[in-house]
Amino acid sequence: MEILDKFRSNIRIKLEDLSLDTFRGVFTHIDQLGVKQGVDKLGLDKFVERCARMAATTGAISGGGGALTMAIGIPVDLLNMITQQFRVTLGVIYYHRGSYSMNFDEFVSILAAVFQVEAGVTITKTIMERVAERMMVRLGSRAAARLIPVVGAVIGGTTNYMFIKRVAESVKKLQRNYEPLTIHVE
């Protein structure tokens, strides 16, 4: 239990590194047209499945070798989880709205709603830190189990897979309630 507490305290210290710029960087490196094409080619459910499997792969790899792969694997796993979460969110939004191009501020407000974080009129660094903290706590809660090589691979892969699937379902629920605002100009 001490290992887990120590890990969580280290995560909180490292949380400052996952700032708004990091999220913006991941977002800008995602090919939104590629997400659209993936959804068009595979369909939404298969696209989500593909993203979940990519997340499961890094989860399994980071937990597969115990402490050796965990040290290097968790940062890579976290980056991949963020990327796959963003891709799934963009895919669901495209599927429901028909538009694949989105700016970062609108995307973050949707992401905040998915994580049930209260978002005001402006998107602040604090909101992004809350989202990052929730992701890190989810990763950290299973870190101790990853110390056991085979068990760690199963836990890492399964939890990543389920996390991405839950994100997709949450975004789908939000998008069903989305009604675009139409402004008539005379």
Side-chain angles (χ1 to χ4, degrees):
M1 198 63 172
E2 287 181 42
I3 294 172
L4 188 58
D5 290 338
K6 192 179 242 185
F7 185 75
R8 283 184 181 163
S9 67
N10 287 340
I11 286 174
R12 292 194 190 282
I13 293 168
K14 298 286 184 186
L15 212 83
E16 294 175 9
D17 295 338
L18 279 175
S19 65
L20 185 61
D21 293 334
T22 302
F23 283 100
R24 188 181 306 272
V26 170
F27 179 80
T28 57
H29 284 92
I30 292 175
D31 177 14
Q32 291 187 38
L33 178 59
V35 169
K36 174 205 177 298
Q37 291 169 338
V39 171
D40 288 343
K41 180 180 177 183
L42 301 172
L44 181 61
D45 292 333
K46 287 185 180 178
F47 179 78
V48 169
E49 181 71 21
R50 179 203 260 171
C51 292
R53 286 182 181 179
M54 283 193 244
T57 301
T58 58
I61 290 170
S62 70
L68 292 173
T69 58
M70 192 173 95
I72 296 170
I74 284 186
V76 172
D77 185 29
L78 178 61
L79 182 62
N80 187 45
M81 286 286 290
I82 292 168
T83 302
Q84 297 311 318
Q85 176 188 350
F86 285 12
R87 292 181 75 232
V88 163
T89 302
L90 288 167
V92 172
I93 291 168
Y94 162 68
Y95 181 81
H96 284 280
R97 295 185 186 181
S99 173
Y100 70 89
S101 183
M102 176 177 290
N103 71 37
F104 181 70
D105 291 335
E106 181 182 4
F107 177 77
V108 170
S109 66
I110 292 168
L111 186 66
V114 168
F115 276 95
Q116 299 174 348
V117 177
E118 296 175 9
V121 175
T122 59
I123 305 302
T124 64
K125 183 178 176 184
T126 306
I127 289 173
M128 293 309 297
E129 286 173 351
R130 285 186 200 165
V131 171
E133 181 177 1
R134 287 182 185 211
M135 289 183 74
M136 293 296 285
V137 166
R138 286 181 180 157
L139 276 174
S141 65
R142 63 181 194 254
R146 285 186 179 191
L147 292 172
I148 305 168
V150 175
V151 174
V154 171
I155 290 172
T158 302
T159 54
N160 283 9
Y161 180 86
M162 296 306 296
F163 175 75
I164 295 299
K165 293 291 240 178
R166 282 193 306 258
V167 166
E169 289 305 313
S170 296
V171 177
K172 285 178 184 179
K173 287 178 188 174
L174 283 174
Q175 292 305 301
R176 284 185 201 125
N177 298 330
Y178 172 78
E179 293 182 29
L181 177 65
T182 306
I183 300 173
H184 298 284
V185 179
E186 294 179 24

